[in-house]
Structures are given as C-alpha cells and as structure tokens.
Amino acid sequence: MIGLRPSASAFRQAYSGCTGRVRVPVSASGPASGRFLAARVQVSAPFSTVSLAYDLHEPAKPVADKQTSPIIFMHGLFGSKKNNRTISKVLARDLRRHVYAVDLRNHGDSPHDHRHDYPAMAADVADFIRQHGLKEPTLIGHSMPAHSNHPPKTRGAKTAMALALHEPDLVANLIAVDNAPVDARLGSDFGWYIQGMKKIDEAGVTRQAEADEILAPYESSVAIRQFLLGNLHRPSAASKTQQFRVPLPILARALDHLGDFPFKSPAEVRFAKPALFVRGTQSKYVPDEVIPLIGQFFPMFELVDVDAGHWVISEKPEAFREAVIRFLEPKE
C-alpha cells in the first residue's frame, strides 16, 4: 500500500468532545498521519455506525455469488437508493454482478443519527461491507442535482473516495461521478431548500401538489422540487398528512462542513487501485486544474468525459453505462 492512513480510532478521536473547527495534529507517522482535517462539527462523544438499508439488484445469470465483486451505489444529499434503481438494474444485467444500492445515514430507510459527515458515512459503508461479507466491492458515488449556479454540497462520490482512501483493503476499485477530492465553495441553495421543506412539514400537507406549491418560491426548477419532494412520506398507514423522512434539523446543522473533503495530503494517503472519474463536460465541478490532485490521491485513475452537465447518469445514461462497463470488464 502506498502512503499511510488514519486508523478508525483516529477518525473517532478527531471529533470526540469537540465543537467548532477541529484540526488533527499531523506527523510523519502515527494514527493521524492521513491529515484528516475536519470542518465544523458538533458532537459530544465518539460516533457509532448505523446499519444501512439497501436494495439488492440481482442479475439473471450472475458470474459469482452476491458477496463476490459486488457494486455498491451511493447517493448524495436528499437522495436515496431509489434514485439509482434504473442504472443499478442495468449494470447488474450487463456486468452480471450484484448491485447494492444503499441509503446513507439520515436518508431513505436508514437510521437517523445526530452526526452527518464523510467519516461517519464512510464508516457506515465500511461496516456494511463487513456485515454482508462482501469481497472486493466496487464503489460508485454521485451527488444529488444542484442548482446550476452552485455546486452540490454532499456527495456520494466524496463518501466513496473517503472510504477508499481510509480503508483501501476493503475496496477493489472506485467510480466517482462528476466530483473530485477537493474542498468546495458552498452556495446557499440547500439551506434555502431546508427552510422550504420545514414550511411543508409545518403545513401538514396531504397532497404532493400542496407541498410543491409551498416549495416553488424556494426553487424554480420543477425537476429539483420533484427530487426533494421524493422524500415525503406518510409516517403511518393511518396518517393523512405527509412529512419528510429525512431529519431536517440534523441535515441543516451538517451543511457547514459538507463541502470539505476530509483528506488534505495526497503525499500521505493514496488509493493505489483502479479508479474511474466520469466528468460532465458541461459541468464545473471537475475543472482541469484539479486533475493533477486526483492523480495524486488516486494514481491509477482514468478520466472519461461525457457531453453532459452534472446530472451525468440521468442526462447520458448510455454513455455512463459504456464508461462503467469498459472500466469494470475484465482486462485481457
């Protein structure tokens, strides 16, 4: 393995009993040598992992059992396993591999927890791999769509990259969709969305059309509003009102630090296994100037450009499918 990585205890110690900006001491050796620098967290005790909900997409004629070389698909903020259902089924069919589409913590059917950051999400996925006995999985991560003027704030891709760098022995390879291992300047869109979503919860809506009317002043894009409203549900069979299944207060507190990437020094932590970065050429989230940094963190990376915006998978599903298949098919 190239470079050093922080231990699981270092991840926990970095946040234990801290409020505000945390800087982990960096040395040439020792548990904090991966330069894990966190941004604005609010926790009072070491974090624990949660058991992730998932959908398993099984191929008709698998090349191996469901534990061997599966794909783990991760969504971003306000997403869920259902967002990746179609492409997961396609990849399961074409690659004849099992695909696990997971709900990350505080999303979908997975448990809620007061902590929501990349180390915690990566640790959840690592535990998922161990709990299910998965061998040499492929990680695929993408973010939720964001307003065209601002970058997305939380990314399945950053969770995947953080896990690959922290525990490379657990992972066979990585696919990051329109994202890079860098800190991002955050816009205000998601805080604005949460305000609108809180208004919906307070209104006690019974129909999605009512919720959409409340959310419209907060977001003009119908597609993004539909995406956000996909988180509405009826808490019980007897309930007439709809509420958001995501814990809005927890996610609101997490927004300040979800733009940061937890690893800062590629000289000290690398993922020396194959990695594919799929970039939308009409998107601004993987500019040419960050490509050298990608190569430092992921020295065996490949870059594929797709003529699309940030919504690479939904805009150009066939181009994305072809890129993934070329990357994952056995090389002669």
Side-chain angles (χ1 to χ4, degrees):
M1 183 181 71
I2 297 178
L4 299 171
R5 59 187 177 91
S7 65
S9 61
F11 266 32
R12 291 166 171 81
Q13 291 169 3
Y15 284 97
S16 177
C18 298
T19 299
R21 193 163 201 87
V22 179
R23 293 190 177 275
V24 178
V26 177
S27 62
S29 62
S33 60
R35 282 188 185 264
F36 176 76
L37 303 185
R40 298 207 61 80
V41 294
Q42 294 179 347
V43 294
S44 58
F47 71 86
S48 58
T49 57
V50 304
S51 183
L52 302 180
Y54 67 97
D55 285 339
L56 174 59
H57 302 280
E58 302 188 57
K61 297 180 179 180
V63 294
D65 60 42
K66 63 183 180 181
Q67 282 82 30
T68 303
S69 300
I71 294 169
I72 301 175
F73 223 126
M74 284 163 276
H75 60 81
L77 183 62
F78 298 128
S80 73
K81 56 186 182 294
K82 67 182 181 181
N83 300 133
N84 298 315
R85 184 177 297 157
T86 300
I87 188 63
S88 293
K89 290 180 177 178
V90 168
L91 293 177
R93 178 198 68 197
D94 293 349
L95 290 167
R96 298 168 59 191
R97 293 170 62 174
H98 293 78
V99 180
Y100 292 82
V102 300
D103 280 337
L104 298 176
R105 62 170 52 204
N106 297 315
H107 288 79
D109 297 319
S110 285
H112 296 175
D113 189 88
H114 71 282
R115 177 158 179 181
H116 193 85
D117 53 42
Y118 296 117
M121 289 186 280
D124 290 342
V125 178
D127 275 6
F128 180 87
I129 292 170
R130 294 188 178 97
Q131 289 167 5
H132 292 270
L134 305 184
K135 306 166 187 173
E136 299 192 332
T138 293
L139 305 181
I140 302 181
H142 191 210
S143 69
M144 75 154 279
H147 191 282
S148 59
N149 293 329
H150 297 293
K153 291 195 175 188
T154 185
R155 303 162 170 93
K158 278 194 171 179
T159 301
M161 287 186 277
L163 174 54
L165 289 169
H166 176 51
E167 298 203 57
D169 294 343
L170 277 185
V171 180
N173 43 47
L174 164 76
I175 299 173
V177 186
D178 205 48
N179 222 308
V182 295
D183 293 344
R185 182 183 297 275
L186 301 183
S188 60
D189 294 53
F190 287 102
W192 192 237
Y193 296 160
I194 287 176
Q195 289 186 40
M197 294 163 79
K198 286 180 177 178
K199 292 285 187 184
I200 292 170
D201 271 350
E202 293 166 1
V205 301
T206 58
R207 297 182 299 114
Q208 186 157 319
E210 298 174 59
D212 186 67
E213 186 176 350
I214 295 172
L215 193 59
Y218 296 86
E219 174 52 58
S220 61
S221 167
V222 175
I224 293 180
R225 293 204 306 270
Q226 290 177 341
F227 180 90
L228 296 171
L229 295 177
N231 287 286
L232 283 171
H233 76 132
R234 288 185 170 83
S236 67
S239 176
K240 293 183 179 180
T241 61
Q242 297 186 43
Q243 294 180 327
F244 285 101
R245 67 172 71 242
V246 293
L248 297 176
I250 291 173
L251 296 181
R253 290 194 298 270
L255 292 182
D256 283 349
H257 60 84
L258 285 175
D260 289 351
F261 187 65
F263 293 99
K264 308 302 180 186
S265 176
E268 295 176 344
V269 58
R270 297 181 184 179
F271 181 70
K273 295 181 182 179
L276 173 66
F277 284 74
V278 182
R279 177 172 66 167
T281 57
Q282 299 172 34
S283 171
K284 300 177 180 180
Y285 306 139
V286 189
D288 288 344
E289 54 264 31
V290 307
I291 293 176
L293 183 63
I294 292 174
Q296 293 171 39
F297 274 118
F298 302 94
M300 293 183 64
F301 89 104
E302 301 175 29
L303 178 67
V304 171
D305 283 340
V306 174
D307 184 18
H310 180 65
W311 303 24
V312 174
I313 298 174
S314 58
E315 289 180 35
K316 294 294 177 68
E318 180 59 20
F320 177 75
R321 184 194 71 86
E322 291 178 356
V324 171
I325 289 175
R326 281 197 301 268
F327 177 69
L328 292 179
E329 280 185 333
K331 305 296 189 293
E332 295 182 358

